[in-house]
Short mmCIF file of all heavy atoms in Angstrom, two decimals:
data_model
loop_
_atom_site.label_atom_id
_atom_site.label_comp_id
_atom_site.label_asym_id
_atom_site.label_seq_id
_atom_site.Cartn_x
_atom_site.Cartn_y
_atom_site.Cartn_z
N TRP A 29 13.64 9.35 4.17
CA TRP A 29 14.37 9.43 5.44
C TRP A 29 15.24 10.69 5.45
O TRP A 29 16.13 10.83 4.63
CB TRP A 29 15.24 8.19 5.64
CG TRP A 29 14.51 6.91 5.42
CD1 TRP A 29 14.82 5.95 4.51
CD2 TRP A 29 13.36 6.43 6.11
NE1 TRP A 29 13.94 4.91 4.59
CE2 TRP A 29 13.02 5.17 5.56
CE3 TRP A 29 12.57 6.94 7.14
CZ2 TRP A 29 11.94 4.43 6.01
CZ3 TRP A 29 11.49 6.20 7.58
CH2 TRP A 29 11.19 4.96 7.02
N TRP A 36 21.29 9.08 12.72
CA TRP A 36 20.90 8.39 13.95
C TRP A 36 20.93 6.87 13.74
O TRP A 36 21.46 6.13 14.56
CB TRP A 36 19.50 8.83 14.38
CG TRP A 36 18.95 8.01 15.49
CD1 TRP A 36 19.17 8.18 16.83
CD2 TRP A 36 18.10 6.86 15.38
NE1 TRP A 36 18.51 7.21 17.55
CE2 TRP A 36 17.85 6.40 16.68
CE3 TRP A 36 17.53 6.19 14.29
CZ2 TRP A 36 17.05 5.28 16.92
CZ3 TRP A 36 16.74 5.07 14.54
CH2 TRP A 36 16.50 4.64 15.84
N HIS A 37 20.34 6.41 12.65
CA HIS A 37 20.24 4.98 12.36
C HIS A 37 21.62 4.32 12.31
O HIS A 37 21.86 3.29 12.95
CB HIS A 37 19.51 4.77 11.03
CG HIS A 37 19.43 3.34 10.60
ND1 HIS A 37 20.42 2.71 9.89
CD2 HIS A 37 18.46 2.40 10.79
CE1 HIS A 37 20.08 1.46 9.66
NE2 HIS A 37 18.89 1.25 10.20
N TRP A 38 22.55 4.93 11.56
CA TRP A 38 23.87 4.31 11.41
C TRP A 38 24.71 4.45 12.67
O TRP A 38 25.47 3.54 13.02
CB TRP A 38 24.58 4.86 10.18
CG TRP A 38 23.85 4.47 8.93
CD1 TRP A 38 23.19 5.30 8.06
CD2 TRP A 38 23.65 3.14 8.42
NE1 TRP A 38 22.61 4.56 7.05
CE2 TRP A 38 22.88 3.24 7.24
CE3 TRP A 38 24.07 1.88 8.84
CZ2 TRP A 38 22.49 2.13 6.49
CZ3 TRP A 38 23.69 0.77 8.10
CH2 TRP A 38 22.92 0.89 6.94
N PHE A 40 23.45 4.47 15.65
CA PHE A 40 22.83 3.47 16.51
C PHE A 40 23.38 2.08 16.19
O PHE A 40 23.73 1.32 17.10
CB PHE A 40 21.32 3.51 16.26
CG PHE A 40 20.49 3.33 17.48
CD1 PHE A 40 20.68 4.12 18.59
CD2 PHE A 40 19.50 2.36 17.51
CE1 PHE A 40 19.90 3.97 19.72
CE2 PHE A 40 18.72 2.20 18.64
CZ PHE A 40 18.91 3.00 19.74
N ALA A 41 23.45 1.74 14.92
CA ALA A 41 23.95 0.43 14.51
C ALA A 41 25.39 0.21 14.98
O ALA A 41 25.72 -0.84 15.53
CB ALA A 41 23.86 0.30 12.98
N VAL A 44 25.46 -0.14 18.90
CA VAL A 44 24.92 -1.42 19.38
C VAL A 44 25.94 -2.54 19.16
O VAL A 44 26.18 -3.37 20.04
CB VAL A 44 23.58 -1.74 18.68
CG1 VAL A 44 23.18 -3.19 18.90
CG2 VAL A 44 22.49 -0.81 19.20
N LEU A 113 7.92 3.26 6.94
CA LEU A 113 8.02 1.91 7.50
C LEU A 113 6.73 1.14 7.25
O LEU A 113 5.63 1.68 7.44
CB LEU A 113 8.28 1.97 9.01
CG LEU A 113 9.67 2.37 9.47
CD1 LEU A 113 9.71 2.45 10.99
CD2 LEU A 113 10.73 1.41 8.96
N ASN A 114 6.86 -0.13 6.87
CA ASN A 114 5.67 -0.98 6.78
C ASN A 114 5.33 -1.46 8.19
O ASN A 114 6.09 -1.19 9.14
CB ASN A 114 5.93 -2.13 5.80
CG ASN A 114 7.05 -3.05 6.25
OD1 ASN A 114 7.21 -3.36 7.42
ND2 ASN A 114 7.85 -3.49 5.30
N ALA A 116 5.56 -4.33 9.67
CA ALA A 116 6.61 -5.16 10.27
C ALA A 116 7.79 -4.31 10.71
O ALA A 116 8.36 -4.52 11.78
CB ALA A 116 7.07 -6.23 9.28
N GLY A 117 8.15 -3.32 9.90
CA GLY A 117 9.24 -2.40 10.26
C GLY A 117 8.89 -1.56 11.48
O GLY A 117 9.75 -1.30 12.33
N THR A 118 7.63 -1.16 11.58
CA THR A 118 7.19 -0.39 12.75
C THR A 118 7.26 -1.24 14.01
O THR A 118 7.70 -0.78 15.07
CB THR A 118 5.76 0.13 12.53
OG1 THR A 118 5.72 0.91 11.34
CG2 THR A 118 5.29 0.96 13.70
N LEU A 119 6.82 -2.49 13.89
CA LEU A 119 6.90 -3.42 15.03
C LEU A 119 8.35 -3.61 15.46
O LEU A 119 8.66 -3.59 16.66
CB LEU A 119 6.27 -4.76 14.64
CG LEU A 119 6.24 -5.84 15.71
CD1 LEU A 119 5.39 -5.40 16.90
CD2 LEU A 119 5.68 -7.14 15.11
N MET A 120 9.25 -3.73 14.49
CA MET A 120 10.67 -3.89 14.80
C MET A 120 11.22 -2.63 15.47
O MET A 120 12.00 -2.71 16.42
CB MET A 120 11.46 -4.21 13.53
CG MET A 120 12.94 -4.41 13.76
SD MET A 120 13.34 -5.72 14.95
CE MET A 120 12.84 -7.17 14.03
N LEU A 121 10.84 -1.46 14.97
CA LEU A 121 11.29 -0.20 15.56
C LEU A 121 10.91 -0.13 17.03
O LEU A 121 11.74 0.16 17.90
CB LEU A 121 10.69 0.98 14.81
CG LEU A 121 10.91 2.37 15.44
CD1 LEU A 121 12.38 2.76 15.38
CD2 LEU A 121 10.04 3.42 14.77
N VAL A 122 9.65 -0.42 17.34
CA VAL A 122 9.17 -0.35 18.72
C VAL A 122 9.88 -1.38 19.60
O VAL A 122 10.31 -1.07 20.71
CB VAL A 122 7.63 -0.54 18.77
CG1 VAL A 122 7.14 -0.68 20.21
CG2 VAL A 122 6.93 0.63 18.09
N ALA A 123 10.03 -2.60 19.08
CA ALA A 123 10.70 -3.66 19.85
C ALA A 123 12.15 -3.31 20.13
O ALA A 123 12.65 -3.49 21.25
CB ALA A 123 10.60 -4.99 19.10
N LEU A 124 12.85 -2.77 19.12
CA LEU A 124 14.26 -2.40 19.31
C LEU A 124 14.40 -1.24 20.28
O LEU A 124 15.26 -1.27 21.17
CB LEU A 124 14.89 -2.03 17.97
CG LEU A 124 15.50 -3.19 17.18
CD1 LEU A 124 15.88 -2.74 15.77
CD2 LEU A 124 16.71 -3.75 17.90
N ALA A 159 18.41 -9.87 23.70
CA ALA A 159 17.21 -9.64 22.89
C ALA A 159 17.49 -8.61 21.80
O ALA A 159 17.01 -8.75 20.67
CB ALA A 159 16.06 -9.18 23.78
N VAL A 160 18.28 -7.58 22.13
CA VAL A 160 18.62 -6.56 21.14
C VAL A 160 19.34 -7.19 19.96
O VAL A 160 19.01 -6.91 18.80
CB VAL A 160 19.48 -5.44 21.78
CG1 VAL A 160 20.10 -4.56 20.69
CG2 VAL A 160 18.65 -4.61 22.73
N ILE A 161 20.31 -8.05 20.23
CA ILE A 161 21.08 -8.66 19.14
C ILE A 161 20.19 -9.57 18.29
O ILE A 161 20.29 -9.59 17.06
CB ILE A 161 22.29 -9.44 19.70
CG1 ILE A 161 23.27 -8.46 20.34
CG2 ILE A 161 22.97 -10.24 18.62
CD1 ILE A 161 23.76 -7.35 19.41
N VAL A 162 19.30 -10.32 18.93
CA VAL A 162 18.36 -11.17 18.18
C VAL A 162 17.50 -10.29 17.27
O VAL A 162 17.30 -10.60 16.09
CB VAL A 162 17.48 -12.00 19.13
CG1 VAL A 162 16.34 -12.68 18.37
CG2 VAL A 162 18.32 -13.03 19.87
N LEU A 163 17.01 -9.17 17.80
CA LEU A 163 16.18 -8.25 17.01
C LEU A 163 16.97 -7.62 15.87
O LEU A 163 16.44 -7.44 14.77
CB LEU A 163 15.59 -7.17 17.91
CG LEU A 163 14.50 -7.64 18.88
CD1 LEU A 163 14.15 -6.53 19.87
CD2 LEU A 163 13.25 -8.10 18.14
N VAL A 164 18.23 -7.29 16.13
CA VAL A 164 19.08 -6.71 15.07
C VAL A 164 19.24 -7.71 13.93
O VAL A 164 19.13 -7.34 12.75
CB VAL A 164 20.45 -6.29 15.64
CG1 VAL A 164 21.45 -6.02 14.52
CG2 VAL A 164 20.29 -5.05 16.52
N VAL A 165 19.50 -8.97 14.27
CA VAL A 165 19.64 -10.00 13.23
C VAL A 165 18.33 -10.14 12.45
O VAL A 165 18.33 -10.19 11.21
CB VAL A 165 20.06 -11.35 13.85
CG1 VAL A 165 19.98 -12.47 12.82
CG2 VAL A 165 21.48 -11.25 14.41
N LEU A 166 17.20 -10.18 13.15
CA LEU A 166 15.90 -10.26 12.47
C LEU A 166 15.65 -9.05 11.59
O LEU A 166 15.10 -9.16 10.49
CB LEU A 166 14.77 -10.39 13.50
CG LEU A 166 14.67 -11.73 14.23
CD1 LEU A 166 13.60 -11.67 15.32
CD2 LEU A 166 14.37 -12.86 13.25
N HIS A 167 16.07 -7.87 12.07
CA HIS A 167 15.91 -6.64 11.31
C HIS A 167 16.69 -6.71 9.99
O HIS A 167 16.16 -6.41 8.92
CB HIS A 167 16.40 -5.46 12.15
CG HIS A 167 16.49 -4.17 11.41
ND1 HIS A 167 15.42 -3.59 10.76
CD2 HIS A 167 17.54 -3.32 11.19
CE1 HIS A 167 15.79 -2.46 10.19
NE2 HIS A 167 17.08 -2.28 10.43
N VAL A 168 17.94 -7.13 10.08
CA VAL A 168 18.78 -7.23 8.87
C VAL A 168 18.21 -8.26 7.90
O VAL A 168 18.09 -8.00 6.69
CB VAL A 168 20.24 -7.57 9.24
CG1 VAL A 168 21.06 -7.87 8.00
CG2 VAL A 168 20.87 -6.43 10.04
N VAL A 169 17.81 -9.42 8.41
CA VAL A 169 17.20 -10.45 7.56
C VAL A 169 15.92 -9.91 6.92
O VAL A 169 15.68 -10.11 5.72
CB VAL A 169 16.92 -11.74 8.37
CG1 VAL A 169 16.07 -12.72 7.56
CG2 VAL A 169 18.23 -12.40 8.78
N GLY A 170 15.10 -9.23 7.70
CA GLY A 170 13.86 -8.67 7.18
C GLY A 170 14.10 -7.65 6.09
O GLY A 170 13.39 -7.62 5.07
N VAL A 171 15.09 -6.79 6.28
CA VAL A 171 15.42 -5.77 5.27
C VAL A 171 15.88 -6.43 3.98
O VAL A 171 15.46 -6.04 2.88
CB VAL A 171 16.49 -4.80 5.81
CG1 VAL A 171 17.09 -3.96 4.70
CG2 VAL A 171 15.89 -3.89 6.89
N VAL A 172 16.72 -7.45 4.10
CA VAL A 172 17.22 -8.14 2.90
C VAL A 172 16.07 -8.84 2.18
O VAL A 172 15.92 -8.72 0.96
CB VAL A 172 18.33 -9.14 3.27
CG1 VAL A 172 18.68 -10.03 2.08
CG2 VAL A 172 19.57 -8.39 3.76
N LEU A 173 15.24 -9.58 2.92
CA LEU A 173 14.12 -10.29 2.30
C LEU A 173 13.12 -9.33 1.66
O LEU A 173 12.64 -9.56 0.55
CB LEU A 173 13.41 -11.17 3.34
CG LEU A 173 14.17 -12.41 3.79
CD1 LEU A 173 13.39 -13.16 4.86
CD2 LEU A 173 14.46 -13.33 2.61
N MET A 174 12.81 -8.23 2.36
CA MET A 174 11.87 -7.26 1.81
C MET A 174 12.46 -6.60 0.56
O MET A 174 11.74 -6.34 -0.41
CB MET A 174 11.53 -6.20 2.86
CG MET A 174 10.33 -5.36 2.49
SD MET A 174 8.81 -6.31 2.29
CE MET A 174 8.57 -6.96 3.92
N GLY A 175 13.75 -6.37 0.58
CA GLY A 175 14.41 -5.81 -0.59
C GLY A 175 14.32 -6.74 -1.78
O GLY A 175 14.09 -6.30 -2.92
N LEU A 182 16.94 -1.50 0.03
CA LEU A 182 16.50 -0.73 1.19
C LEU A 182 17.68 -0.22 2.02
O LEU A 182 17.55 0.78 2.72
CB LEU A 182 15.58 -1.58 2.06
CG LEU A 182 14.26 -1.98 1.38
CD1 LEU A 182 13.47 -2.93 2.27
CD2 LEU A 182 13.44 -0.75 1.03
N ILE A 183 18.83 -0.89 1.92
CA ILE A 183 20.01 -0.40 2.62
C ILE A 183 20.47 0.91 1.98
O ILE A 183 20.78 1.89 2.66
CB ILE A 183 21.14 -1.45 2.61
CG1 ILE A 183 20.68 -2.68 3.39
CG2 ILE A 183 22.43 -0.88 3.19
CD1 ILE A 183 21.60 -3.87 3.27
N MET A 186 18.39 3.79 3.07
CA MET A 186 18.72 4.37 4.37
C MET A 186 20.02 5.16 4.31
O MET A 186 20.34 5.91 5.24
CB MET A 186 18.80 3.27 5.44
CG MET A 186 18.93 3.77 6.86
SD MET A 186 17.77 5.08 7.36
CE MET A 186 16.28 4.15 7.70
#
Side-chain angles (χ1 to χ4, degrees):
W29 311 121
W36 170 84
H37 177 274
W38 295 113
F40 218 54
V44 166
L113 286 177
N114 62 39
T118 303
L119 181 62
M120 181 57 69
L121 172 68
V122 171
L124 272 170
V160 167
I161 294 303
V162 170
L163 289 171
V164 166
V165 170
L166 289 174
H167 171 58
V168 172
V169 170
V171 166
V172 170
L173 288 177
M174 194 60 63
L182 296 175
I183 296 171
M186 189 48 80

